Amino acid sequence: MSNLSHHPRAYVRPSPSSGTLGGLGSYTHDAVSLCEMAGYDLTIVETVGVGQSEVELAECVDMFLLLLAPGGGDELQGSKKGIVEVADVLVVNKADGEYEKVAKRTASEYKKAMGLLRKPVGWWGKKSSESDGCSKENGAIDCAPAAPPVLLISAKTGFGLEELWQTISKYREFTNSSGNVIEKRKKQNRYWMWKYLRERVLETAKKNPRVKSRADDIEKCLDEGLMAPRVAAGELWK
């Protein structure tokens, strides 16, 4: 990232959380859309990568790439489970030196796990010719892998970076040619519309004098166990 920040054709900017929990800032989706409108062909969104809270990033990008550290196989049953399920490509870094064997073992574990996380047919898009291991499904040629690819790379030596870029380019080609990316973005836009509406309604409700005047009494009932949270929310909304 430090090298990229000095590239004359790259624009790197942090996205403040503005009080939002997790690794995705409240205006990240807007910033990504703005960069695309400004003519940038490729936009990379890097999050803190803490696990479940990063799942929302899938609603912000065309391709969800999960970068993993060696020796993280236990995370398959832990904090990474949710984010692994939405990833389009998994990449194990540090495949060099003393970590090489551990990285290979980690990649192997994730490949086995990915075999159980089958994606829908056509999730990468469809090609017009049956080649490169493509399978015929309901009369259509599906060239997508059955599960998210798991790749090995080394940011230090550059190992695997060419294969990674080829995978990214292939994914982009397939999703663009099939129209999958258009449908994905339609769903994403609807997701953000409803999310922004929920935030606006909540913000408006908290500023409402009637709600503020009743909130203290209702919260007291909650503290004393006299009212369930769902019922309390209903009372505030009346």
Side-chain angles (χ1 to χ4, degrees), residues 148-235:
V150 181
L151 307 177
L152 274 171
I153 70 163
S154 169
K156 182 179 180 180
T157 66
F159 167 77
L161 293 182
E162 183 176 349
E163 181 185 3
L164 172 58
W165 181 249
Q166 289 176 355
T167 301
I168 294 173
S169 300
K170 186 178 180 181
Y171 178 89
R172 184 178 184 181
E173 176 190 352
F174 283 12
T175 54
N176 284 338
S177 62
S178 66
N180 281 18
V181 69
I182 296 177
E183 294 302 317
K184 187 174 185 177
R185 291 190 178 190
K186 286 180 180 178
K187 294 179 181 179
Q188 290 175 342
N189 287 334
R190 292 176 183 177
Y191 171 87
W192 289 105
M193 178 189 72
W194 286 108
K195 178 177 180 179
Y196 293 147
L197 177 60
R198 287 193 297 270
E199 292 178 350
R200 183 65 62 86
V201 170
L202 180 60
E203 182 181 351
T204 302
K206 286 184 175 181
K207 293 179 179 179
N208 184 281
R210 184 184 63 83
V211 173
K212 292 173 68 175
S213 65
R214 301 185 63 196
D216 290 339
D217 292 337
I218 292 177
E219 286 178 348
K220 185 177 180 180
C221 290
L222 275 175
D223 295 340
E224 295 176 355
L226 301 176
M227 189 179 294
R230 185 181 296 273
V231 177
E235 289 295 321

Side-chain angles (χ1 to χ4, degrees), residues 65-68 70 89-96 99-100 103-104 107 150-165:
L65 190 152
L66 179 59
L67 189 63
L68 301 161
V89 176
L90 284 77
V91 179
V92 181
N93 192 20
K94 299 183 179 180
D96 56 72
Y99 294 107
E100 184 175 359
K104 289 181 178 179
V150 181
L151 307 177
L152 274 171
I153 70 163
S154 169
K156 182 179 180 180
T157 66
F159 167 77
L161 293 182
E162 183 176 349
E163 181 185 3
L164 172 58
W165 181 249

